[in-house]
Coordinates of all heavy atoms in Angstrom, one line a residue:
G1 N 7.5 -13.2 -16.1 CA 6.6 -12.1 -15.6 C 5.3 -12.0 -16.5 O 5.2 -12.7 -17.5
V2 N 4.5 -11.2 -16.1 CA 3.2 -11.0 -16.8 C 3.3 -9.8 -17.7 O 4.0 -8.8 -17.4 CB 2.1 -10.7 -15.7 CG1 0.8 -10.5 -16.4 CG2 1.9 -11.9 -14.8
R3 N 2.8 -10.0 -18.9 CA 2.8 -8.9 -20.0 C 1.7 -7.9 -19.7 O 0.5 -8.3 -19.5 CB 2.7 -9.6 -21.2 CG 3.0 -8.6 -22.4 CD 3.1 -9.4 -23.7 NE 3.3 -8.5 -24.8 CZ 4.3 -8.2 -25.4 NH1 5.4 -8.8 -25.0 NH2 4.4 -7.4 -26.4
L4 N 2.0 -6.6 -19.7 CA 1.0 -5.6 -19.5 C 0.7 -4.8 -20.7 O 1.6 -4.6 -21.6 CB 1.6 -4.6 -18.4 CG 2.0 -5.1 -17.1 CD1 2.5 -4.0 -16.2 CD2 0.8 -5.8 -16.3
V5 N -0.5 -4.3 -20.9 CA -0.9 -3.5 -22.0 C -0.7 -2.0 -21.5 O -0.4 -1.7 -20.3 CB -2.3 -3.7 -22.4 CG1 -2.5 -5.1 -23.0 CG2 -3.3 -3.5 -21.2
G6 N -0.9 -1.1 -22.4 CA -0.6 0.4 -22.1 C -1.3 0.9 -20.8 O -0.6 1.5 -20.0
S7 N -2.6 0.7 -20.7 CA -3.2 1.2 -19.5 C -2.8 0.6 -18.2 O -2.6 1.2 -17.1 CB -4.7 1.1 -19.6 OG -5.1 -0.3 -19.7
E8 N -2.4 -0.7 -18.2 CA -1.9 -1.4 -17.1 C -0.5 -0.9 -16.7 O -0.2 -0.8 -15.6 CB -1.9 -2.9 -17.3 CG -3.2 -3.5 -17.5 CD -3.1 -5.0 -17.9 OE1 -2.3 -5.3 -18.8 OE2 -4.0 -5.8 -17.3
M9 N 0.3 -0.5 -17.7 CA 1.6 0.1 -17.5 C 1.4 1.4 -16.8 O 2.3 1.7 -15.8 CB 2.4 0.2 -18.7 CG 2.8 -1.2 -19.3 SD 4.0 -1.1 -20.7 CE 3.0 -0.3 -22.0
C10 N 0.5 2.2 -17.1 CA 0.2 3.5 -16.5 C -0.1 3.3 -15.0 O 0.3 4.0 -14.2 CB -0.8 4.3 -17.2 SG -0.4 4.9 -18.8
I11 N -1.0 2.3 -14.8 CA -1.4 2.0 -13.4 C -0.2 1.5 -12.6 O 0.1 1.9 -11.5 CB -2.5 0.9 -13.4 CG1 -3.8 1.5 -14.0 CG2 -2.8 0.4 -12.0 CD1 -4.9 0.5 -14.3
R12 N 0.6 0.6 -13.2 CA 1.8 0.2 -12.6 C 2.7 1.2 -12.2 O 3.2 1.3 -11.1 CB 2.5 -0.9 -13.4 CG 3.8 -1.5 -12.8 CD 4.8 -2.0 -13.7 NE 5.1 -0.9 -14.7 CZ 5.6 -1.2 -15.9 NH1 5.7 -2.3 -16.3 NH2 5.9 -0.2 -16.7
D13 N 3.0 2.1 -13.1 CA 3.9 3.3 -12.9 C 3.4 4.1 -11.8 O 4.1 4.6 -10.9 CB 4.0 4.1 -14.2 CG 4.8 3.4 -15.3 OD1 5.4 2.3 -14.9 OD2 4.7 3.9 -16.4
S14 N 2.0 4.4 -11.7 CA 1.5 5.2 -10.6 C 1.7 4.5 -9.3 O 2.1 5.0 -8.2 CB 0.0 5.4 -10.8 OG -0.2 6.3 -12.0
Y15 N 1.4 3.1 -9.2 CA 1.5 2.4 -8.0 C 3.0 2.3 -7.6 O 3.3 2.3 -6.4 CB 1.0 1.0 -8.2 CG -0.5 0.9 -8.1 CD1 -1.2 -0.1 -8.7 CD2 -1.3 1.8 -7.5 CE1 -2.6 -0.3 -8.6 CE2 -2.7 1.7 -7.4 CZ -3.3 0.7 -8.0 OH -4.7 0.6 -7.8
N16 N 3.9 2.2 -8.6 CA 5.3 2.1 -8.3 C 5.8 3.5 -7.6 O 6.6 3.4 -6.6 CB 6.2 1.9 -9.5 CG 6.1 0.4 -10.0 OD1 5.7 -0.5 -9.2 ND2 6.5 0.2 -11.2
R17 N 5.3 4.6 -8.1 CA 5.6 5.9 -7.4 C 5.1 5.9 -6.0 O 5.9 6.3 -5.1 CB 5.1 7.0 -8.2 CG 5.9 7.3 -9.5 CD 5.5 8.7 -10.1 NE 4.1 8.7 -10.5 CZ 3.7 8.3 -11.7 NH1 4.5 7.8 -12.6 NH2 2.4 8.4 -12.0
L18 N 3.9 5.5 -5.8 CA 3.4 5.4 -4.5 C 4.1 4.5 -3.6 O 4.4 4.8 -2.5 CB 1.9 5.1 -4.5 CG 1.1 5.0 -3.2 CD1 1.2 6.3 -2.4 CD2 -0.4 4.6 -3.4
F19 N 4.4 3.3 -4.2 CA 5.1 2.3 -3.4 C 6.5 2.8 -2.9 O 6.9 2.6 -1.8 CB 5.3 1.1 -4.2 CG 5.9 -0.1 -3.4 CD1 5.1 -0.8 -2.5 CD2 7.2 -0.5 -3.6 CE1 5.7 -1.8 -1.8 CE2 7.8 -1.5 -2.9 CZ 7.0 -2.2 -2.0
D20 N 7.2 3.6 -3.8 CA 8.5 4.2 -3.5 C 8.4 5.1 -2.3 O 9.1 5.2 -1.4 CB 9.1 5.0 -4.7 CG 9.6 4.0 -5.7 OD1 9.8 2.8 -5.5 OD2 9.7 4.5 -6.9
H21 N 7.2 5.9 -2.2 CA 7.0 6.8 -1.1 C 6.7 5.9 0.2 O 7.1 6.3 1.2 CB 5.8 7.7 -1.4 CG 6.1 8.8 -2.4 ND1 7.0 9.8 -2.1 CD2 5.7 9.0 -3.6 CE1 7.1 10.6 -3.2 NE2 6.3 10.1 -4.1
M22 N 6.0 4.8 0.0 CA 5.7 4.0 1.1 C 6.8 3.4 1.8 O 6.9 3.3 3.0 CB 4.6 3.0 0.7 CG 3.3 3.4 0.4 SD 2.2 2.2 -0.3 CE 2.3 0.8 0.7
N23 N 7.8 3.1 0.9 CA 9.1 2.5 1.4 C 9.8 3.3 2.4 O 10.7 2.9 3.1 CB 10.0 2.1 0.3 CG 9.7 0.7 -0.3 OD1 9.2 -0.2 0.5 ND2 9.9 0.4 -1.5
R24 N 9.6 4.7 2.3 CA 10.3 5.6 3.2 C 9.6 5.7 4.5 O 10.3 6.3 5.5 CB 10.2 7.0 2.5 CG 11.0 7.0 1.2 CD 11.0 8.4 0.6 NE 11.4 8.3 -0.8 CZ 10.9 9.1 -1.7 NH1 10.1 10.1 -1.5 NH2 11.3 8.9 -3.0
I25 N 8.5 5.1 4.8 CA 7.8 5.2 6.1 C 8.4 4.2 7.0 O 8.6 3.0 6.6 CB 6.3 5.0 5.9 CG1 5.7 6.1 5.1 CG2 5.6 4.9 7.3 CD1 4.2 5.9 4.7
D26 N 8.7 4.5 8.2 CA 9.3 3.6 9.2 C 8.1 2.9 9.9 O 7.5 3.6 10.8 CB 10.1 4.4 10.2 CG 10.8 3.5 11.2 OD1 10.6 2.3 11.2 OD2 11.5 4.0 12.0
L27 N 7.9 1.7 9.6 CA 6.7 1.0 10.2 C 7.0 0.6 11.6 O 6.0 0.1 12.3 CB 6.5 -0.3 9.4 CG 5.8 0.0 8.1 CD1 5.6 -1.3 7.4 CD2 4.5 0.7 8.2
T28 N 8.2 0.8 12.2 CA 8.5 0.4 13.6 C 7.9 1.4 14.5 O 7.8 1.2 15.7 CB 10.0 0.2 13.8 OG1 10.6 1.5 13.5 CG2 10.5 -0.9 13.0
H29 N 7.5 2.6 14.0 CA 6.9 3.7 14.8 C 5.4 3.8 14.4 O 5.1 4.6 13.6 CB 7.6 5.0 14.7 CG 9.0 4.9 15.0 ND1 10.2 4.7 14.3 CD2 9.6 5.1 16.3 CE1 11.2 4.6 15.0 NE2 10.9 5.0 16.2
S30 N 4.6 3.0 15.1 CA 3.2 3.0 14.7 C 2.5 4.3 14.9 O 1.5 4.7 14.3 CB 2.4 1.8 15.4 OG 2.4 2.1 16.8
Q31 N 3.0 5.1 15.9 CA 2.5 6.5 16.1 C 2.6 7.3 14.8 O 1.6 8.0 14.5 CB 3.2 7.1 17.3 CG 2.5 8.4 17.7 CD 1.1 8.3 18.2 OE1 0.7 7.2 18.7 NE2 0.2 9.1 18.0
S32 N 3.7 7.3 14.1 CA 3.8 8.0 12.9 C 2.9 7.5 11.8 O 2.4 8.2 11.0 CB 5.3 8.1 12.5 OG 5.7 6.7 12.1
V33 N 2.7 6.2 11.8 CA 1.7 5.6 10.8 C 0.3 6.1 11.1 O -0.5 6.4 10.3 CB 1.9 4.0 10.8 CG1 0.8 3.4 10.0 CG2 3.2 3.7 10.4
Y34 N 0.0 6.1 12.4 CA -1.4 6.6 12.8 C -1.5 8.0 12.4 O -2.6 8.4 11.9 CB -1.5 6.5 14.4 CG -2.8 7.0 14.8 CD1 -4.0 6.3 14.4 CD2 -2.9 8.2 15.4 CE1 -5.3 6.8 14.8 CE2 -4.2 8.7 15.8 CZ -5.4 8.0 15.5 OH -6.6 8.5 15.8
K35 N -0.5 8.9 12.6 CA -0.7 10.2 12.2 C -0.9 10.4 10.6 O -1.8 11.1 10.2 CB 0.6 11.0 12.5 CG 0.7 11.3 14.0 CD 2.0 12.1 14.2 CE 2.2 12.3 15.8 NZ 3.4 12.9 16.1
V36 N -0.3 9.5 9.8 CA -0.6 9.5 8.4 C -2.0 9.0 8.2 O -2.8 9.7 7.4 CB 0.4 8.5 7.7 CG1 -0.1 8.3 6.3 CG2 1.8 9.0 7.8
S37 N -2.5 8.0 8.9 CA -3.8 7.5 8.6 C -4.9 8.5 9.2 O -6.0 8.6 8.7 CB -4.1 6.1 9.2 OG -4.0 6.1 10.6
D38 N -4.6 9.2 10.2 CA -5.4 10.2 10.7 C -5.6 11.5 9.9 O -6.7 12.1 9.9 CB -4.9 10.7 12.2 CG -6.0 11.4 13.0 OD1 -7.1 11.0 12.9 OD2 -5.5 12.3 13.7
A39 N -4.6 11.7 9.0 CA -4.7 12.9 8.2 C -5.6 12.7 7.0 O -5.9 13.6 6.3 CB -3.3 13.2 7.7
F40 N -5.9 11.4 6.7 CA -6.8 11.1 5.6 C -7.9 10.1 5.9 O -7.9 9.7 7.1 CB -5.9 10.4 4.5 CG -4.8 11.2 4.0 CD1 -3.5 11.1 4.5 CD2 -5.0 12.2 3.0 CE1 -2.5 11.9 4.1 CE2 -4.0 13.0 2.5 CZ -2.7 12.8 3.1
D41 N -8.8 9.9 5.1 CA -9.9 9.0 5.4 C -9.4 7.6 5.5 O -8.8 7.0 4.6 CB -11.0 9.1 4.3 CG -12.1 8.2 4.6 OD1 -13.0 8.6 5.4 OD2 -12.2 7.1 4.1
F42 N -9.5 7.0 6.7 CA -8.9 5.7 6.9 C -9.4 4.6 6.0 O -8.7 3.8 5.4 CB -9.2 5.3 8.4 CG -8.5 4.0 8.8 CD1 -7.1 4.0 9.0 CD2 -9.2 2.9 9.0 CE1 -6.5 2.8 9.3 CE2 -8.6 1.7 9.3 CZ -7.2 1.7 9.5
E43 N -10.7 4.6 5.7 CA -11.3 3.6 4.8 C -10.8 3.8 3.4 O -10.5 2.7 2.7 CB -12.8 3.6 4.9 CG -13.5 3.3 6.2 CD -13.1 1.9 6.7 OE1 -13.0 1.0 5.9 OE2 -12.8 1.7 7.9
E44 N -10.6 5.0 3.0 CA -10.0 5.2 1.6 C -8.6 4.7 1.6 O -8.2 4.2 0.5 CB -10.1 6.7 1.3 CG -11.5 7.2 1.0 CD -12.1 6.6 -0.2 OE1 -11.5 6.4 -1.2 OE2 -13.3 6.3 -0.1
I45 N -7.8 4.9 2.6 CA -6.4 4.4 2.6 C -6.4 2.9 2.5 O -5.7 2.3 1.7 CB -5.7 4.8 3.9 CG1 -5.5 6.4 3.9 CG2 -4.4 4.1 4.0 CD1 -4.9 6.9 5.1
L46 N -7.3 2.2 3.2 CA -7.4 0.7 3.2 C -7.8 0.3 1.8 O -7.3 -0.7 1.3 CB -8.2 0.2 4.3 CG -7.8 0.4 5.7 CD1 -8.9 -0.2 6.7 CD2 -6.5 -0.3 6.0
L47 N -8.8 1.0 1.3 CA -9.3 0.6 -0.1 C -8.2 0.8 -1.1 O -8.0 -0.2 -1.9 CB -10.5 1.4 -0.4 CG -11.0 1.2 -1.8 CD1 -11.6 -0.2 -1.9 CD2 -12.2 2.2 -2.2
G48 N -7.5 1.9 -1.1 CA -6.4 2.1 -2.0 C -5.2 1.0 -1.9 O -4.8 0.6 -2.9
L49 N -4.9 0.7 -0.7 CA -3.8 -0.3 -0.4 C -4.3 -1.6 -0.9 O -3.5 -2.4 -1.5 CB -3.4 -0.4 1.0 CG -2.6 0.8 1.4 CD1 -2.4 0.8 3.0 CD2 -1.2 0.9 0.8
S50 N -5.6 -2.0 -0.7 CA -6.2 -3.3 -1.1 C -6.1 -3.3 -2.7 O -5.8 -4.4 -3.2 CB -7.6 -3.4 -0.6 OG -7.6 -3.5 0.8
K51 N -6.4 -2.2 -3.3 CA -6.4 -2.2 -4.8 C -5.0 -2.4 -5.3 O -4.7 -3.1 -6.3 CB -7.0 -0.9 -5.3 CG -8.4 -0.8 -5.2 CD -9.0 0.5 -5.8 CE -10.5 0.5 -5.7 NZ -11.0 1.8 -6.3
M52 N -4.0 -1.8 -4.6 CA -2.6 -2.0 -5.0 C -2.2 -3.4 -4.8 O -1.6 -4.0 -5.7 CB -1.7 -1.1 -4.1 CG -1.6 0.3 -4.5 SD -0.4 1.2 -3.4 CE 1.2 0.5 -3.9
L53 N -2.6 -4.0 -3.7 CA -2.3 -5.4 -3.4 C -2.8 -6.3 -4.4 O -2.2 -7.2 -5.0 CB -2.9 -5.8 -2.0 CG -2.6 -7.2 -1.5 CD1 -1.1 -7.4 -1.4 CD2 -3.3 -7.5 -0.2
Y54 N -4.1 -6.1 -4.9 CA -4.7 -6.9 -6.0 C -4.0 -6.8 -7.3 O -3.8 -7.7 -7.9 CB -6.2 -6.5 -6.1 CG -6.9 -7.2 -7.2 CD1 -7.4 -8.5 -6.9 CD2 -7.2 -6.6 -8.4 CE1 -8.1 -9.2 -7.9 CE2 -7.9 -7.3 -9.4 CZ -8.3 -8.6 -9.1 OH -9.0 -9.3 -10.1
F55 N -3.6 -5.5 -7.5 CA -2.8 -5.3 -8.8 C -1.5 -6.1 -8.9 O -1.2 -6.8 -9.8 CB -2.6 -3.7 -9.0 CG -1.7 -3.5 -10.2 CD1 -2.3 -3.5 -11.5 CD2 -0.4 -3.2 -10.1 CE1 -1.5 -3.2 -12.7 CE2 0.4 -2.9 -11.2 CZ -0.2 -3.0 -12.5
Y56 N -0.7 -5.9 -7.8 CA 0.6 -6.5 -7.7 C 0.5 -8.1 -7.6 O 1.3 -8.7 -8.1 CB 1.4 -6.0 -6.5 CG 2.0 -4.6 -6.9 CD1 1.6 -3.5 -6.2 CD2 3.0 -4.5 -7.9 CE1 2.2 -2.3 -6.5 CE2 3.5 -3.2 -8.2 CZ 3.1 -2.1 -7.4 OH 3.6 -0.9 -7.8
E57 N -0.6 -8.6 -7.0 CA -0.8 -10.0 -7.1 C -1.1 -10.5 -8.5 O -0.5 -11.5 -8.9 CB -2.0 -10.4 -6.2 CG -1.8 -10.4 -4.8 CD -3.0 -10.6 -3.9 OE1 -4.2 -10.5 -4.4 OE2 -2.9 -10.9 -2.7
G58 N -1.8 -9.7 -9.3 CA -2.1 -10.1 -10.6 C -0.9 -10.1 -11.5 O -0.9 -10.8 -12.5
I59 N 0.1 -9.3 -11.2 CA 1.3 -9.3 -12.0 C 2.4 -10.0 -11.3 O 3.6 -10.0 -11.7 CB 1.8 -7.8 -12.4 CG1 2.1 -7.0 -11.2 CG2 0.8 -7.2 -13.3 CD1 2.8 -5.6 -11.6
E60 N 2.1 -10.8 -10.3 CA 3.0 -11.7 -9.6 C 4.2 -11.0 -8.9 O 5.3 -11.6 -9.0 CB 3.3 -12.9 -10.5 CG 2.1 -13.7 -11.0 CD 2.5 -14.7 -12.0 OE1 3.6 -14.8 -12.4 OE2 1.5 -15.4 -12.4
E61 N 4.0 -9.9 -8.4 CA 5.1 -9.3 -7.7 C 4.9 -9.4 -6.2 O 4.4 -8.5 -5.5 CB 5.2 -7.7 -8.0 CG 5.7 -7.5 -9.5 CD 6.1 -6.1 -9.8 OE1 6.4 -5.3 -8.8 OE2 6.1 -5.7 -11.0
Y62 N 5.3 -10.6 -5.7 CA 4.9 -11.0 -4.4 C 5.7 -10.4 -3.3 O 5.2 -10.2 -2.1 CB 4.9 -12.6 -4.3 CG 4.0 -13.2 -5.3 CD1 4.4 -14.0 -6.3 CD2 2.6 -13.0 -5.2 CE1 3.5 -14.6 -7.2 CE2 1.7 -13.6 -6.1 CZ 2.2 -14.4 -7.1 OH 1.3 -14.8 -8.0
E63 N 6.9 -9.9 -3.5 CA 7.6 -9.2 -2.5 C 6.9 -7.9 -2.3 O 6.9 -7.4 -1.1 CB 9.1 -9.0 -3.0 CG 9.9 -10.2 -2.9 CD 11.3 -10.0 -3.4 OE1 11.9 -8.9 -3.2 OE2 12.0 -11.0 -3.7
T64 N 6.4 -7.2 -3.3 CA 5.8 -6.0 -3.1 C 4.4 -6.2 -2.4 O 4.0 -5.4 -1.5 CB 5.4 -5.4 -4.5 OG1 6.7 -5.1 -5.2 CG2 4.8 -4.0 -4.4
C65 N 3.8 -7.3 -2.7 CA 2.6 -7.7 -2.0 C 2.8 -7.9 -0.5 O 2.0 -7.4 0.2 CB 2.0 -9.0 -2.6 SG 1.3 -8.8 -4.3
A66 N 3.9 -8.4 -0.2 CA 4.2 -8.7 1.3 C 4.3 -7.4 2.0 O 3.8 -7.3 3.1 CB 5.4 -9.5 1.4
L67 N 5.0 -6.4 1.4 CA 5.2 -5.1 2.0 C 3.8 -4.4 2.1 O 3.5 -3.8 3.1 CB 6.2 -4.3 1.3 CG 6.6 -3.0 2.0 CD1 7.2 -3.3 3.4 CD2 7.7 -2.3 1.2
I68 N 3.0 -4.4 1.1 CA 1.7 -3.8 1.1 C 0.9 -4.4 2.2 O 0.2 -3.7 3.0 CB 1.0 -3.8 -0.2 CG1 1.7 -3.0 -1.2 CG2 -0.5 -3.4 -0.1 CD1 1.3 -3.2 -2.7
K69 N 0.9 -5.7 2.4 CA 0.2 -6.4 3.3 C 0.6 -6.0 4.8 O -0.1 -5.8 5.7 CB 0.3 -7.8 3.2 CG -0.4 -8.7 4.2 CD -1.9 -8.6 4.1 CE -2.6 -9.6 5.0 NZ -3.5 -8.9 6.0
K70 N 2.0 -5.7 4.9 CA 2.5 -5.3 6.2 C 1.9 -3.9 6.5 O 1.6 -3.6 7.7 CB 4.0 -5.3 6.1 CG 4.7 -4.9 7.4 CD 6.2 -5.1 7.3 CE 6.9 -4.8 8.5 NZ 8.4 -4.9 8.4
Y71 N 1.9 -3.0 5.6 CA 1.3 -1.7 5.8 C -0.2 -1.7 6.2 O -0.6 -1.1 7.1 CB 1.4 -0.8 4.5 CG 2.7 -0.2 4.3 CD1 3.6 -0.7 3.4 CD2 3.1 1.0 5.0 CE1 4.9 -0.2 3.3 CE2 4.3 1.5 4.8 CZ 5.2 1.0 3.9 OH 6.5 1.5 3.8
L72 N -0.9 -2.6 5.5 CA -2.4 -2.8 5.9 C -2.5 -3.3 7.2 O -3.3 -2.8 8.0 CB -3.0 -3.8 4.9 CG -3.4 -3.3 3.5 CD1 -3.7 -4.5 2.6 CD2 -4.6 -2.4 3.6
D73 N -1.7 -4.3 7.7 CA -1.7 -4.8 9.1 C -1.4 -3.7 10.0 O -2.0 -3.6 11.1 CB -0.8 -6.0 9.2 CG -1.3 -7.3 8.4 OD1 -2.5 -7.2 7.9 OD2 -0.5 -8.1 8.1
T74 N -0.3 -3.0 9.7 CA 0.1 -1.9 10.7 C -0.9 -0.9 10.9 O -1.2 -0.4 11.9 CB 1.5 -1.3 10.2 OG1 2.4 -2.4 10.1 CG2 2.0 -0.3 11.2
L75 N -1.5 -0.5 9.8 CA -2.6 0.6 9.8 C -3.8 0.1 10.6 O -4.4 0.8 11.5 CB -3.0 1.0 8.5 CG -1.9 2.0 7.7 CD1 -2.4 2.1 6.3 CD2 -1.8 3.3 8.4
E76 N -4.2 -1.1 10.4 CA -5.3 -1.7 11.1 C -5.1 -1.8 12.6 O -5.8 -1.6 13.5 CB -5.7 -3.1 10.5 CG -6.4 -2.8 9.2 CD -6.7 -4.1 8.4 OE1 -6.2 -5.2 8.8 OE2 -7.5 -4.1 7.5
E77 N -3.8 -2.3 12.9 CA -3.3 -2.3 14.3 C -3.5 -1.0 15.0 O -3.9 -0.8 16.2 CB -2.0 -2.9 14.5 CG -1.9 -4.4 14.3 CD -0.5 -4.8 14.3 OE1 0.4 -4.2 14.8 OE2 -0.1 -6.0 13.7
A78 N -3.0 0.0 14.3 CA -3.0 1.4 14.9 C -4.4 1.9 15.1 O -4.7 2.5 16.0 CB -2.2 2.3 13.9
Q79 N -5.3 1.6 14.1 CA -6.6 2.0 14.2 C -7.3 1.3 15.3 O -8.1 1.9 16.2 CB -7.4 1.7 12.9 CG -8.8 2.1 12.9 CD -9.0 3.6 12.9 OE1 -8.0 4.4 12.7 NE2 -10.2 4.1 13.2
N80 N -7.1 0.0 15.5 CA -7.7 -0.7 16.7 C -7.2 -0.3 18.0 O -7.9 -0.4 19.0 CB -7.4 -2.3 16.5 CG -8.2 -2.9 15.3 OD1 -9.2 -2.3 14.9 ND2 -7.7 -3.9 14.7
A81 N -5.9 0.2 18.1 CA -5.4 0.7 19.3 C -6.0 2.0 19.8 O -6.0 2.3 20.9 CB -3.9 0.8 19.1
T82 N -6.6 2.7 18.9 CA -7.3 3.9 19.3 C -8.7 3.7 19.6 O -9.4 4.7 20.1 CB -7.1 5.0 18.1 OG1 -7.9 4.5 16.9 CG2 -5.7 5.2 17.7
V83 N -9.2 2.6 19.4 CA -10.7 2.3 19.7 C -10.9 1.9 21.1 O -10.1 1.4 21.7 CB -11.3 1.2 18.7 CG1 -12.7 0.9 19.0 CG2 -11.1 1.8 17.2

């Protein structure tokens, strides 16, 4: 694995907590995902997930990256379906 310094460990811990919450979302129901994205600024959600993806790629946690990518794809699909 990759060795982290103090500030990186704080970022990782924050992302891990968020990731734990994300794991509870049922992605098979895109309507519920859309309600989540509708409650917040969609572009900010995509930016935050992209930053998480970049972070986890940097520390080589590719299983986590795959799930984050799945969330990004699902949110974009839900957004495109409403346009």
Side-chain angles (χ1 to χ4, degrees):
V2 177
R3 191 173 174 98
L4 302 176
V5 297
S7 61
E8 292 172 322
M9 288 188 295
C10 290
I11 293 168
R12 182 206 54 209
D13 293 346
S14 295
Y15 282 159
N16 283 343
R17 282 192 300 276
L18 177 58
F19 187 76
D20 288 342
H21 290 290
M22 290 171 48
N23 270 331
R24 297 181 195 147
I25 298 172
D26 182 0
L27 289 179
T28 61
H29 296 93
S30 64
Q31 189 62 31
S32 63
V33 174
Y34 176 72
K35 288 179 183 175
V36 170
S37 67
D38 194 35
F40 299 95
D41 182 80
F42 186 74
E43 295 302 320
E44 289 294 321
I45 293 170
L46 293 181
L47 179 63
L49 288 173
S50 295
K51 286 180 179 182
M52 278 181 72
L53 182 61
Y54 179 78
F55 175 80
Y56 282 113
E57 285 173 345
I59 61 172
E60 301 175 356
E61 290 192 22
Y62 299 117
E63 288 181 23
T64 303
C65 292
L67 190 56
I68 293 169
K69 180 67 173 126
K70 187 174 179 181
Y71 280 100
L72 282 166
D73 293 345
T74 302
L75 287 170
E76 288 175 347
E77 286 176 21
Q79 182 68 13
N80 291 335
T82 63
V83 176

